[in-house]
Amino acid sequence: MDRGLFLLPSRIGLDVTRRQALGFISHAHMDHVAQHAMALCTEPTARLVRHRLGNVSTKIMPLGESIEVAGLKLTALPAGHIFGSAMVYAQHDKGTVLYTGDFRLGPSATAEQAQLRSADYLIMECTFGHPHYRLPPRDTVIEMLLEKIRAAFRRGATPVISAYVLGKSQEVTRILTSQGIPVLQHPDIYAISQIYEEAGCELGDFRPYSGRPIPGCVVIVPPKPLTPGILPGAVHVEKFHVTGWALDKRRKGTAPNEHWIPLSDHADFDQLIHAVEEVGPKTVFCTHGPKSFVEELKSRGHDARWLE
């Protein structure tokens, strides 16, 4: 049996990670992509998918414009997750469906702000669907990051930020460079940042990390252990984690002497609740999060169900 989410009767795969005749790709993180015979996605996502998977045939979905595919009217809406990320709004004579993929409400330095739309059925990722995950205001988090980075500089340290190669690295880069802090990027991160710029998302003063830190520059690396000697010439390194999981005491406990900044590209608990209320669906289908979120929605009067 081919497991995954599909729009019927057209059988368009929704972020299915196995090759399909038709597959909608909400964004280019590897747990959402495949070499479909025809991939439906935004232009930035198409560029990023080709970088990661090679040549993939795509049908571009400009944000906000409807297209007809396999008997369905589909509209890509900004998801606010990473650059090019999109929800898909499907219209059929039997009703309307909004599939969010990974999303986040509110402003972003690199992603288009999410746009929700009323629908009969909502299929929603709920990664942070526990009340514990209520993130501080974005401005507060950014100020926290900047203060800790500047304090590290004053101590003569090289700030090293651990961030996902695609998405978070570019978001943090733009936040820092917009405040006059130049960035050095791991080669894998730099390659993706070049695609961002080519697709029209400018990131400011960044360059590839050439093997030695530069005073006054932040270094951004993929999320892996920072072993001794990984930054030759750096006398003092301070490591930063930028993730919504910074609110999880267990995760912080794995590296208690490092800086944890709760900057997320996923909707937190309150944003998830807000999304359901704004879309106003007959039924909510939840995935990729705690099953307790379904019970939370039911307690608020919603018809909510869990998708395995």
Side-chain angles (χ1 to χ4, degrees), residues 239-252:
K239 189 172 182 182
F240 291 72
H241 304 267
V242 284
T243 171
W245 299 113
L247 297 180
D248 188 331
K249 292 181 180 179
R250 293 171 298 179
R251 299 221 180 184
K252 291 175 68 174

Side-chain angles (χ1 to χ4, degrees), residues 46-282:
R47 294 186 185 211
L48 292 164
V49 167
R50 292 191 190 106
H51 171 75
R52 309 195 99 178
L53 294 182
N55 189 29
V56 177
S57 296
T58 58
K59 183 174 181 62
I60 300 303
M61 301 180 69
L63 291 172
E65 296 183 17
S66 298
I67 62 173
E68 297 283 342
V69 180
L72 292 175
K73 186 176 182 180
L74 303 179
T75 308
L77 301 172
H81 179 54
I82 66 171
F83 182 47
S85 63
M87 308 179 190
V88 64
Y89 180 74
Q91 295 169 269
H92 188 267
D93 56 13
K94 293 184 179 179
T96 55
V97 176
L98 178 65
Y99 168 71
T100 67
D102 290 335
F103 77 103
R104 185 183 59 80
L105 306 182
S108 166
T110 54
E112 300 84 350
Q113 187 161 333
Q115 295 179 12
L116 299 168
R117 184 173 292 186
S118 298
D120 296 317
Y121 303 97
L122 172 62
I123 304 173
M124 183 176 72
E125 74 84 29
C126 54
T127 300
F128 291 138
H130 189 283
H132 175 72
Y133 293 104
R134 286 186 162 101
L135 295 166
R138 177 179 168 85
D139 289 347
T140 300
V141 175
I142 290 175
E143 188 58 35
M144 180 192 308
L145 173 64
L146 295 173
E147 286 179 0
K148 288 182 179 294
I149 290 289
R150 289 167 177 151
F153 283 146
R154 290 194 294 271
R155 290 189 288 269
T158 298
V160 176
I161 296 179
S162 170
Y164 293 128
V165 170
L166 166 59
K168 187 64 66 65
S169 288
Q170 290 74 31
E171 178 77 1
V172 174
T173 294
R174 184 60 190 139
I175 289 170
L176 294 177
T177 61
S178 69
Q179 297 299 314
I181 301 173
V183 170
L184 306 177
Q185 297 181 340
H186 182 279
D188 292 345
I189 296 171
Y190 183 78
I192 288 177
S193 294
Q194 293 293 99
I195 297 171
Y196 267 56
E197 295 239 316
E198 291 165 4
C201 184
E202 297 182 0
L203 299 178
D205 183 7
F206 72 99
R207 68 199 86 167
Y209 180 68
S210 60
R212 297 187 71 84
I214 298 174
C217 291
V218 170
V219 180
I220 302 182
V221 299
K224 58 184 178 180
L226 191 61
T227 56
I230 195 171
L231 294 179
V235 176
H236 181 198
V237 168
E238 292 188 23
K239 189 172 182 182
F240 291 72
H241 304 267
V242 284
T243 171
W245 299 113
L247 297 180
D248 188 331
K249 292 181 180 179
R250 293 171 298 179
R251 299 221 180 184
K252 291 175 68 174
T254 64
N257 297 321
E258 297 173 354
H259 302 287
W260 290 82
I261 309 297
L263 183 70
S264 178
D265 51 18
H266 289 85
D268 71 355
F269 179 81
D270 290 328
Q271 288 186 8
L272 292 171
I273 297 294
H274 175 82
V276 174
E277 292 173 347
E278 184 167 337
V279 174
K282 297 175 183 176

Side-chain angles (χ1 to χ4, degrees), residues 1-6 11-25 30 32-39 49 53-58:
M1 185 172 106
D2 194 7
R3 294 179 60 83
L5 291 174
F6 297 87
R11 197 171 168 77
I12 297 173
L14 299 176
D15 286 339
V16 176
T17 56
R18 298 170 308 285
R19 181 179 175 87
Q20 305 294 323
L22 280 171
F24 171 74
I25 299 177
M30 290 303 293
H32 291 258
V33 305
Q35 286 186 311
H36 302 307
M38 179 61 68
V49 167
L53 294 182
N55 189 29
V56 177
S57 296
T58 58

Side-chain angles (χ1 to χ4, degrees), residues 296-303:
E296 176 70 34
L297 291 178
K298 287 181 177 178
S299 73
R300 295 169 180 259
H302 299 288
D303 177 15

